[in-house]
Structure formats: structure tokens, C-alpha cells
Amino acid sequence: MQFRHYKGGIYDFVCAAKLESNPETVMIVYTAADGSFWTRPEEVFFEMIEHDGKTVQRFIAIDA
């Protein structure tokens, strides 16, 4: 599944994983077009943020 970042980048979802030091924390693992891997806590990945005076979702699923 692919997601678009609010700044325009396209990222591929890899998996959701539990953080070893705190299994209650779910991390989203995703990769960029350059092959780099990234992680964010699930609540941050899907949170609503303020951008250019509007409330938008940080990442939004897109049809591939």
C-alpha cells in the first residue's frame, strides 16, 4: 500500500511492528523512493496536523 505525505512524497508501507522496549507502542515502517527505510509511531503516522492553515492528515493512503 502506498501513502502520500502531506508535503507530497510517496511512501510504501512495509509493516506495523511493536517497539521492543515498549510493546504497547506500534511503529509504522515505510520506505521512500530512494530505498531508505523510516519509522514513526502509529499515532504520529496517522495524526492530523496543521499545514498552511489547514488541518490535514500527515499521511494518506493512495490507490496505486
Side-chain angles (χ1 to χ4, degrees):
M1 176 178 274
Q2 289 190 316
F3 287 84
R4 182 184 318 277
H5 188 265
Y6 74 96
K7 292 181 181 176
I10 304 295
Y11 298 88
D12 290 316
F13 175 88
V14 176
C15 69
K18 291 184 179 183
L19 189 61
E20 186 274 332
S21 62
N22 180 0
E24 294 179 11
T25 301
V26 175
M27 301 295 290
I28 302 299
V29 181
Y30 57 102
T31 186
D34 66 3
S36 60
F37 283 82
W38 298 84
T39 63
R40 286 184 193 254
E42 183 178 44
E43 64 271 7
V44 174
F45 190 89
F46 291 110
E47 76 182 338
M48 301 298 286
I49 60 165
E50 285 287 323
H51 179 67
D52 290 338
K54 297 179 184 175
T55 301
V56 297
Q57 195 167 335
R58 183 182 301 276
F59 287 91
I60 189 164
I62 57 174
D63 294 328

